[in-house]
Amino acid sequence: MSAFGGCSPARSAEGSGTKPLSGLRVLELAGIGPAPFACMLLADLGAETIRVERADGVRPFAEWHRVLDRGRRSVALDLKHPDAVRVVLRLVQQCDVLVEGFRPGVAERLGVGPRQCHERNASLVYARMTGWGQQGPLAQAPGHDINYIALTGVLDAIGPFGGPPVPPLNLLGDFAGGGMLLFGGILAAVLEQRRTGRGRVVDAAIVDGTALLMSMLLDMSGSGQWPSGRGGNLLDGGAPFYGVYACRDGRYVAVGALEDRFFSALVRGLELDPDRLPDRWEPDNWEVLRSAFAERFARRTRDEWAAAFAGTDACVTPVLNPEEAASHPHLRARGTFLRDGGSLHPAPAPRYDGAEPLRPGPAPVVGRHTREVLAESGCSGREIERLLSSGAARTDGEPLNGGGRAAPSRS
């Protein structure tokens, strides 16, 4: 049994009424990546989130979504069936937010676009997640994180000097520029909804969010503080006091000694003579400093350097893998990671009032809550059976790629 129990997230007594978004009802049309991430954040903070899955049980990359799916109830519907569409529109009348991540125009063709939904619920926040946005020459083009960050100029800035751009996983586009932007847009629209009763259509595009993430970089570039190409500037690994160094054991430490007092602590920790070092703010001296630092860091192992710099102001930290991170004393003390058997989950964030991280609910089996949700929507028992027999809905499917796990325990 998980430390969090196996209750439906909407029915869990523990923490009921204490989470910031308790009382918010969200209808999620199942997708992948950034939209599920935004819905995970909503569910983590207490929103009752109903996920509409495909009735055929097919879901691309389901194995990657065990964490992203947590905290929902699942209803399986065939949105190509008119009766299933009517169910969605009935659910819309009972919800505050709808989230979809289809290509532009798909929701409209299915009959669950903004106009159809607002006819049923004028105060609905209708939130849309796409890569390119709802309008523009590329609106209908396929794409992935790497394409969105390439076109917005972000990818060009990441990588070593003289080398090619390096994709930063899919964190900047999908999750920071996409899912986080969608999450913030929903919250802003809900605040207006509460104040005015008015609904909104939220057009969250990864290209727009990724451009926002470049705000400081664009400011630095415009003011001449980002003069060099990739890998030759203050915060991109160009500066020797802001970068990564290999240690004797082949592992790495990260150095962020930007301010003068931090740099002085770094130099002391490396047992270098500050009077023999050139001016660190002159880029022409950076390679000399980098060589001196690299030679010193190569003398000890990563963990030896972590111990040597512990308690100093040098801003030197070990580069950890996720398993090591979950075991680090600071992150353990904060409960930053949760454990689900052999897998790690990030704890819900942010936390409130100094309390422990909010507890997430489990990821559901596809269709596990179909009967329950249909009954809550006002369907009679006879209607539910008709929906199931016609294929418009499905219930109690087998776990999909390991879905329906219990909620994680603390690492």
Coordinates of all heavy atoms in Angstrom, one line a residue, residues 135-218:
Q135 N -2.7 30.3 -34.8 CA -2.6 31.0 -36.1 C -1.2 31.1 -36.5 O -0.3 30.9 -35.7 CB -3.2 32.4 -36.0 CG -4.7 32.4 -35.7 CD -5.0 32.4 -34.2 OE1 -4.2 32.8 -33.4 NE2 -6.2 31.8 -33.8
G136 N -1.0 31.4 -37.8 CA 0.4 31.6 -38.3 C 0.6 30.5 -39.4 O 0.0 29.5 -39.5
P137 N 1.6 30.8 -40.3 CA 1.9 29.9 -41.4 C 2.2 28.5 -41.0 O 2.0 27.6 -41.8 CB 3.1 30.6 -42.1 CG 3.1 32.0 -41.6 CD 2.5 32.0 -40.3
L138 N 2.8 28.3 -39.8 CA 3.2 26.9 -39.4 C 2.1 26.3 -38.4 O 2.4 25.2 -37.9 CB 4.5 27.0 -38.6 CG 5.7 27.3 -39.5 CD1 7.0 27.4 -38.6 CD2 5.9 26.3 -40.6
A139 N 1.0 26.9 -38.3 CA 0.0 26.4 -37.3 C -0.3 24.9 -37.5 O -0.5 24.2 -36.6 CB -1.3 27.2 -37.3
Q140 N -0.4 24.5 -38.8 CA -0.8 23.1 -39.1 C 0.4 22.2 -39.2 O 0.2 21.0 -39.5 CB -1.6 23.0 -40.3 CG -3.0 23.7 -40.2 CD -3.9 23.0 -39.2 OE1 -3.8 21.8 -39.0 NE2 -4.8 23.7 -38.5
A141 N 1.6 22.7 -39.1 CA 2.8 21.9 -39.3 C 3.1 21.0 -38.1 O 2.9 21.4 -37.0 CB 4.0 22.8 -39.6
P142 N 3.6 19.8 -38.3 CA 4.1 19.0 -37.2 C 5.3 19.6 -36.6 O 6.0 20.4 -37.2 CB 4.3 17.6 -37.8 CG 4.7 17.9 -39.3 CD 3.9 19.1 -39.6
G143 N 5.7 19.2 -35.4 CA 6.9 19.7 -34.8 C 7.1 19.0 -33.4 O 6.1 18.4 -32.9
H144 N 8.3 19.2 -32.9 CA 8.6 18.7 -31.6 C 9.4 19.8 -30.9 O 9.8 20.8 -31.5 CB 9.3 17.4 -31.6 CG 8.5 16.2 -32.0 ND1 7.5 15.7 -31.2 CD2 8.5 15.5 -33.1 CE1 6.9 14.7 -31.8 NE2 7.5 14.5 -33.0
D145 N 9.7 19.5 -29.6 CA 10.4 20.5 -28.8 C 11.6 21.1 -29.5 O 11.8 22.3 -29.6 CB 10.9 19.8 -27.5 CG 11.7 20.7 -26.6 OD1 12.9 21.0 -26.9 OD2 11.2 21.1 -25.5
I146 N 12.4 20.2 -30.1 CA 13.7 20.7 -30.8 C 13.4 21.6 -31.9 O 14.2 22.6 -32.1 CB 14.5 19.4 -31.2 CG1 15.9 19.9 -31.6 CG2 13.8 18.7 -32.4 CD1 16.9 18.7 -31.9
N147 N 12.3 21.5 -32.6 CA 11.9 22.4 -33.7 C 11.5 23.7 -33.2 O 11.9 24.8 -33.7 CB 10.8 21.8 -34.5 CG 11.1 20.4 -35.0 OD1 10.4 19.4 -34.6 ND2 12.2 20.2 -35.8
Y148 N 10.7 23.7 -32.1 CA 10.2 25.0 -31.5 C 11.4 25.8 -30.9 O 11.4 27.0 -31.2 CB 9.2 24.7 -30.4 CG 8.1 23.8 -30.9 CD1 7.7 22.7 -30.1 CD2 7.5 23.9 -32.1 CE1 6.7 21.8 -30.5 CE2 6.5 23.0 -32.5 CZ 6.1 22.0 -31.7 OH 5.1 21.1 -32.1
I149 N 12.3 25.2 -30.2 CA 13.4 26.0 -29.6 C 14.4 26.3 -30.7 O 15.1 27.3 -30.5 CB 14.0 25.2 -28.4 CG1 14.8 24.0 -28.9 CG2 13.0 24.9 -27.4 CD1 15.6 23.3 -27.8
A150 N 14.5 25.6 -31.8 CA 15.3 26.0 -32.9 C 14.9 27.3 -33.6 O 15.6 28.2 -33.8 CB 15.5 24.9 -33.9
L151 N 13.6 27.3 -33.8 CA 13.0 28.4 -34.6 C 13.0 29.7 -33.8 O 13.0 30.8 -34.3 CB 11.6 28.1 -35.1 CG 11.1 28.9 -36.3 CD1 11.9 28.5 -37.5 CD2 9.6 28.7 -36.5
T152 N 12.9 29.6 -32.4 CA 12.8 30.8 -31.6 C 14.2 31.3 -31.2 O 14.3 32.3 -30.4 CB 12.0 30.5 -30.3 OG1 12.5 29.3 -29.7 CG2 10.5 30.3 -30.6
G153 N 15.3 30.7 -31.6 CA 16.6 31.2 -31.3 C 17.2 30.6 -30.0 O 18.4 30.9 -29.7
V154 N 16.5 29.8 -29.3 CA 17.0 29.3 -28.0 C 18.1 28.2 -28.3 O 19.2 28.2 -27.7 CB 15.9 28.7 -27.2 CG1 16.4 27.9 -26.0 CG2 14.9 29.8 -26.7
L155 N 17.8 27.3 -29.2 CA 18.8 26.2 -29.4 C 20.1 26.7 -29.9 O 21.2 26.2 -29.5 CB 18.2 25.2 -30.4 CG 19.0 24.0 -30.7 CD1 19.3 23.2 -29.4 CD2 18.3 23.1 -31.7
D156 N 20.1 27.8 -30.7 CA 21.3 28.4 -31.2 C 22.3 28.8 -30.1 O 23.5 28.9 -30.3 CB 21.0 29.5 -32.1 CG 22.3 30.1 -32.7 OD1 22.9 29.4 -33.6 OD2 22.6 31.2 -32.4
A157 N 21.7 29.1 -28.9 CA 22.5 29.7 -27.8 C 23.1 28.6 -26.9 O 23.9 29.0 -26.0 CB 21.7 30.7 -27.0
I158 N 22.8 27.4 -27.1 CA 23.1 26.3 -26.2 C 24.1 25.3 -26.8 O 23.8 24.7 -27.8 CB 21.9 25.5 -25.7 CG1 20.9 26.5 -25.0 CG2 22.3 24.4 -24.7 CD1 19.6 25.9 -24.7
G159 N 25.3 25.2 -26.2 CA 26.3 24.3 -26.7 C 27.7 24.8 -26.5 O 27.9 26.0 -26.1
P160 N 28.7 24.1 -26.9 CA 30.1 24.5 -26.6 C 30.6 25.5 -27.7 O 30.1 25.5 -28.8 CB 30.9 23.2 -26.7 CG 30.1 22.3 -27.7 CD 28.6 22.7 -27.4
F161 N 31.6 26.2 -27.3 CA 32.2 27.2 -28.3 C 32.8 26.4 -29.4 O 33.5 25.4 -29.2 CB 33.3 28.0 -27.5 CG 33.9 29.0 -28.4 CD1 33.3 30.2 -28.7 CD2 35.2 28.8 -29.0 CE1 33.9 31.2 -29.5 CE2 35.8 29.7 -29.8 CZ 35.1 30.9 -30.0
G162 N 32.4 26.8 -30.6 CA 33.0 26.1 -31.8 C 32.3 24.8 -32.2 O 32.6 24.2 -33.1
G163 N 31.3 24.4 -31.3 CA 30.6 23.2 -31.6 C 29.2 23.4 -32.0 O 28.7 24.5 -32.1
P164 N 28.4 22.3 -32.2 CA 27.0 22.4 -32.6 C 26.1 22.8 -31.5 O 26.5 22.5 -30.3 CB 26.7 21.1 -33.2 CG 27.6 20.1 -32.4 CD 28.9 20.9 -32.2
P165 N 24.9 23.2 -31.8 CA 23.9 23.4 -30.7 C 23.6 22.1 -30.0 O 23.6 21.0 -30.7 CB 22.7 24.0 -31.4 CG 23.2 24.5 -32.7 CD 24.4 23.7 -33.1
V166 N 23.3 22.1 -28.7 CA 23.0 20.9 -28.0 C 21.6 20.9 -27.4 O 21.3 21.8 -26.7 CB 24.0 20.7 -26.8 CG1 23.7 19.5 -25.9 CG2 25.5 20.6 -27.3
P167 N 20.8 20.0 -27.8 CA 19.4 20.0 -27.4 C 19.4 19.8 -25.8 O 19.9 18.8 -25.3 CB 18.7 18.8 -28.1 CG 19.6 18.5 -29.3 CD 21.0 18.9 -28.8
P168 N 18.7 20.7 -25.1 CA 18.6 20.6 -23.6 C 17.5 19.7 -23.2 O 16.6 20.1 -22.5 CB 18.4 22.0 -23.2 CG 17.6 22.6 -24.3 CD 18.1 21.9 -25.6
L169 N 17.6 18.4 -23.6 CA 16.4 17.4 -23.4 C 15.2 18.1 -24.0 O 15.3 18.8 -25.0 CB 16.2 17.2 -21.9 CG 17.4 16.6 -21.2 CD1 17.1 16.4 -19.7 CD2 17.9 15.3 -21.8
N170 N 14.0 17.9 -23.5 CA 12.8 18.6 -24.0 C 12.2 19.4 -22.9 O 11.0 19.6 -22.9 CB 11.8 17.6 -24.7 CG 11.2 16.7 -23.6 OD1 11.8 16.4 -22.6 ND2 9.9 16.3 -23.8
L171 N 13.1 20.0 -22.1 CA 12.6 20.7 -20.9 C 12.2 22.1 -21.3 O 11.2 22.6 -20.8 CB 13.7 20.7 -19.8 CG 14.2 19.4 -19.3 CD1 15.3 19.5 -18.3 CD2 13.0 18.6 -18.8
L172 N 13.0 22.8 -22.1 CA 12.8 24.2 -22.3 C 11.5 24.5 -23.2 O 10.7 25.4 -22.9 CB 14.0 24.9 -23.0 CG 15.2 25.0 -22.2 CD1 16.3 25.7 -23.0 CD2 14.9 25.8 -21.0
G173 N 11.3 23.7 -24.2 CA 10.1 23.9 -25.1 C 8.9 23.2 -24.5 O 8.0 23.9 -24.1
D174 N 8.9 21.9 -24.4 CA 7.7 21.2 -24.0 C 7.2 21.6 -22.6 O 6.0 21.9 -22.4 CB 7.9 19.7 -24.0 CG 7.8 19.1 -25.4 OD1 7.4 19.8 -26.3 OD2 8.2 17.9 -25.6
F175 N 8.1 21.6 -21.6 CA 7.6 21.7 -20.3 C 7.7 23.1 -19.7 O 6.8 23.6 -19.0 CB 8.4 20.7 -19.4 CG 8.0 19.3 -19.8 CD1 8.9 18.5 -20.5 CD2 6.8 18.8 -19.5 CE1 8.6 17.3 -20.9 CE2 6.4 17.5 -19.9 CZ 7.4 16.7 -20.6
A176 N 8.8 23.9 -20.0 CA 8.9 25.3 -19.5 C 8.1 26.2 -20.3 O 7.2 26.9 -19.9 CB 10.4 25.7 -19.4
G177 N 8.5 26.2 -21.6 CA 7.8 27.2 -22.5 C 6.4 26.7 -22.9 O 5.6 27.5 -23.3
G178 N 6.1 25.4 -22.7 CA 4.7 24.9 -23.0 C 3.9 24.7 -21.8 O 3.0 25.5 -21.6
G179 N 4.1 23.6 -21.1 CA 3.3 23.2 -20.0 C 3.2 24.3 -18.9 O 2.1 24.6 -18.4
M180 N 4.3 24.9 -18.5 CA 4.2 25.9 -17.5 C 3.5 27.2 -18.0 O 2.7 27.8 -17.2 CB 5.7 26.4 -17.1 CG 6.3 25.4 -16.2 SD 5.6 25.5 -14.5 CE 6.8 24.4 -13.6
L181 N 3.6 27.5 -19.3 CA 2.9 28.7 -19.8 C 1.4 28.4 -19.8 O 0.6 29.2 -19.4 CB 3.3 29.0 -21.2 CG 2.6 30.1 -21.9 CD1 3.1 31.4 -21.3 CD2 2.9 30.1 -23.4
L182 N 1.0 27.1 -20.2 CA -0.4 26.7 -20.2 C -0.9 26.8 -18.7 O -2.0 27.3 -18.5 CB -0.5 25.3 -20.7 CG -1.9 24.7 -20.7 CD1 -2.8 25.5 -21.7 CD2 -1.9 23.3 -21.2
F183 N -0.2 26.3 -17.8 CA -0.6 26.3 -16.4 C -0.8 27.7 -15.9 O -1.9 28.0 -15.3 CB 0.5 25.6 -15.5 CG 0.3 25.6 -14.1 CD1 -0.8 25.0 -13.5 CD2 1.2 26.3 -13.2 CE1 -1.0 25.0 -12.1 CE2 1.0 26.3 -11.9 CZ -0.1 25.6 -11.3
G184 N 0.1 28.6 -16.2 CA -0.1 30.0 -15.7 C -1.2 30.7 -16.4 O -2.0 31.5 -15.8
G185 N -1.4 30.4 -17.7 CA -2.5 31.0 -18.5 C -3.8 30.5 -17.9 O -4.8 31.3 -17.9
I186 N -3.9 29.3 -17.6 CA -5.2 28.8 -17.0 C -5.5 29.5 -15.7 O -6.6 29.9 -15.4 CB -5.1 27.3 -16.8 CG1 -5.1 26.5 -18.1 CG2 -6.2 26.8 -15.9 CD1 -4.8 25.1 -18.0
L187 N -4.5 29.6 -14.8 CA -4.7 30.2 -13.5 C -5.1 31.7 -13.7 O -6.0 32.2 -13.0 CB -3.4 30.1 -12.6 CG -3.0 28.8 -12.2 CD1 -1.8 28.8 -11.3 CD2 -4.1 28.0 -11.5
A188 N -4.5 32.4 -14.6 CA -4.9 33.8 -14.8 C -6.3 33.9 -15.3 O -7.1 34.7 -14.9 CB -4.0 34.5 -15.8
A189 N -6.7 33.0 -16.2 CA -8.1 33.0 -16.8 C -9.1 32.6 -15.7 O -10.2 33.2 -15.7 CB -8.2 32.1 -18.0
V190 N -8.7 31.7 -14.8 CA -9.6 31.3 -13.7 C -9.8 32.5 -12.7 O -11.0 32.7 -12.2 CB -9.1 30.1 -13.0 CG1 -9.8 29.8 -11.7 CG2 -9.2 28.8 -13.9
L191 N -8.8 33.2 -12.5 CA -9.0 34.4 -11.6 C -10.0 35.4 -12.2 O -10.9 35.9 -11.5 CB -7.6 35.1 -11.4 CG -6.6 34.5 -10.4 CD1 -5.3 35.2 -10.5 CD2 -7.2 34.5 -9.0
E192 N -9.9 35.6 -13.5 CA -10.8 36.5 -14.2 C -12.2 35.8 -14.2 O -13.2 36.5 -14.0 CB -10.4 36.8 -15.6 CG -11.4 37.7 -16.3 CD -11.1 37.9 -17.8 OE1 -10.8 36.9 -18.4 OE2 -11.1 39.1 -18.2
Q193 N -12.3 34.6 -14.4 CA -13.6 33.8 -14.3 C -14.3 34.0 -13.0 O -15.5 34.3 -12.9 CB -13.3 32.4 -14.6 CG -14.5 31.4 -14.5 CD -14.1 30.0 -14.5 OE1 -13.4 29.6 -13.5 NE2 -14.4 29.2 -15.5
R194 N -13.5 33.9 -11.9 CA -14.0 34.1 -10.6 C -14.5 35.5 -10.3 O -15.5 35.7 -9.6 CB -13.0 33.7 -9.5 CG -12.6 32.2 -9.5 CD -13.8 31.3 -9.1 NE -13.3 30.0 -8.9 CZ -13.5 29.0 -9.8 NH1 -14.1 29.3 -10.9 NH2 -13.1 27.8 -9.5
R195 N -13.8 36.5 -11.0 CA -14.2 37.9 -10.7 C -15.3 38.3 -11.6 O -16.2 39.1 -11.2 CB -12.9 38.7 -11.0 CG -13.1 40.2 -10.7 CD -11.9 41.0 -10.9 NE -11.6 41.2 -12.4 CZ -10.6 40.6 -13.0 NH1 -9.8 39.7 -12.4 NH2 -10.5 40.8 -14.3
T196 N -15.4 37.8 -12.8 CA -16.4 38.4 -13.8 C -17.4 37.4 -14.3 O -18.4 37.8 -14.9 CB -15.6 38.9 -15.0 OG1 -15.0 37.9 -15.7 CG2 -14.6 39.9 -14.6
G197 N -17.1 36.1 -14.1 CA -18.0 35.1 -14.7 C -17.8 34.8 -16.1 O -18.5 34.1 -16.8
R198 N -16.7 35.4 -16.7 CA -16.4 35.3 -18.1 C -15.5 34.2 -18.4 O -14.5 33.9 -17.7 CB -15.8 36.7 -18.6 CG -15.4 36.7 -20.0 CD -14.6 37.9 -20.4 NE -14.2 37.9 -21.8 CZ -13.3 38.8 -22.3 NH1 -12.8 39.7 -21.5 NH2 -12.9 38.7 -23.5
G199 N -15.7 33.5 -19.5 CA -14.8 32.5 -20.0 C -13.8 33.0 -20.9 O -13.9 34.2 -21.4
R200 N -12.8 32.3 -21.1 CA -11.7 32.7 -22.0 C -11.2 31.5 -22.8 O -11.3 30.3 -22.4 CB -10.5 33.2 -21.2 CG -10.6 34.6 -20.6 CD -10.1 35.6 -21.6 NE -10.0 36.9 -20.9 CZ -9.5 38.0 -21.5 NH1 -9.3 37.9 -22.8 NH2 -9.4 39.1 -20.9
V201 N -10.6 31.8 -24.0 CA -9.8 30.8 -24.7 C -8.4 31.1 -24.5 O -7.9 32.2 -24.9 CB -10.2 30.8 -26.2 CG1 -9.3 29.8 -27.0 CG2 -11.7 30.5 -26.4
V202 N -7.6 30.2 -23.9 CA -6.2 30.3 -23.7 C -5.4 29.7 -24.8 O -5.5 28.4 -25.0 CB -5.8 29.7 -22.3 CG1 -4.3 29.9 -22.1 CG2 -6.6 30.4 -21.2
D203 N -4.7 30.4 -25.6 CA -3.9 29.9 -26.7 C -2.4 29.9 -26.2 O -1.7 30.9 -26.3 CB -4.0 30.8 -27.9 CG -3.1 30.5 -29.1 OD1 -2.5 29.4 -29.0 OD2 -3.1 31.3 -30.1
A204 N -2.0 28.7 -25.7 CA -0.6 28.6 -25.2 C 0.2 27.9 -26.3 O -0.1 26.7 -26.6 CB -0.6 27.8 -23.9
A205 N 1.2 28.6 -26.8 CA 2.0 28.0 -27.9 C 3.4 27.9 -27.3 O 4.0 28.8 -26.7 CB 2.0 28.9 -29.1
I206 N 4.1 26.8 -27.6 CA 5.4 26.6 -27.1 C 6.4 27.6 -27.7 O 7.3 28.1 -27.0 CB 5.9 25.2 -27.5 CG1 5.1 24.1 -26.7 CG2 7.4 25.0 -27.2 CD1 5.4 22.7 -27.1
V207 N 6.2 28.1 -28.9 CA 7.1 29.1 -29.5 C 7.0 30.4 -28.7 O 8.0 31.1 -28.4 CB 6.9 29.3 -31.0 CG1 7.4 28.1 -31.8 CG2 5.4 29.6 -31.3
D208 N 5.8 30.7 -28.3 CA 5.6 32.0 -27.5 C 6.2 31.8 -26.1 O 6.9 32.8 -25.6 CB 4.1 32.3 -27.3 CG 3.4 32.5 -28.6 OD1 4.1 32.8 -29.7 OD2 2.1 32.4 -28.7
G209 N 6.0 30.7 -25.5 CA 6.6 30.5 -24.1 C 8.1 30.4 -24.1 O 8.7 30.9 -23.2
T210 N 8.6 29.8 -25.2 CA 10.1 29.7 -25.2 C 10.7 31.1 -25.5 O 11.8 31.4 -24.9 CB 10.5 28.7 -26.4 OG1 9.8 27.5 -26.2 CG2 12.0 28.5 -26.4
A211 N 10.1 31.9 -26.3 CA 10.6 33.3 -26.5 C 10.5 34.0 -25.1 O 11.5 34.8 -24.8 CB 9.7 34.0 -27.5
L212 N 9.5 33.8 -24.3 CA 9.5 34.5 -23.0 C 10.6 34.0 -22.1 O 11.2 34.9 -21.4 CB 8.2 34.1 -22.3 CG 6.9 34.8 -22.7 CD1 5.7 34.3 -22.0 CD2 7.0 36.3 -22.4
L213 N 11.0 32.8 -22.2 CA 12.1 32.3 -21.4 C 13.5 33.0 -21.7 O 14.4 33.0 -20.9 CB 12.3 30.8 -21.6 CG 11.2 29.9 -21.1 CD1 11.4 28.4 -21.5 CD2 11.0 30.0 -19.6
M214 N 13.5 33.6 -22.9 CA 14.8 34.3 -23.4 C 14.8 35.7 -22.9 O 15.7 36.5 -23.3 CB 14.9 34.2 -24.9 CG 15.2 32.8 -25.4 SD 15.9 32.9 -27.1 CE 14.5 33.7 -28.0
S215 N 13.9 36.2 -22.1 CA 13.8 37.6 -21.7 C 15.1 38.2 -21.3 O 15.6 39.2 -21.8 CB 12.7 37.8 -20.6 OG 11.5 37.4 -21.1
M216 N 15.8 37.6 -20.3 CA 17.0 38.1 -19.8 C 18.2 38.0 -20.9 O 19.0 38.9 -21.0 CB 17.5 37.5 -18.5 CG 18.6 38.2 -17.8 SD 19.0 37.5 -16.2 CE 20.0 36.1 -16.7
L217 N 18.2 36.9 -21.6 CA 19.2 36.7 -22.6 C 19.1 37.8 -23.7 O 20.1 38.4 -24.1 CB 19.0 35.3 -23.2 CG 19.9 35.0 -24.5 CD1 21.4 35.2 -24.1 CD2 19.6 33.7 -25.0
L218 N 17.8 38.1 -24.1 CA 17.6 39.2 -25.1 C 18.1 40.5 -24.6 O 18.6 41.3 -25.3 CB 16.2 39.2 -25.5 CG 15.7 38.0 -26.3 CD1 14.2 38.0 -26.5 CD2 16.4 37.8 -27.6

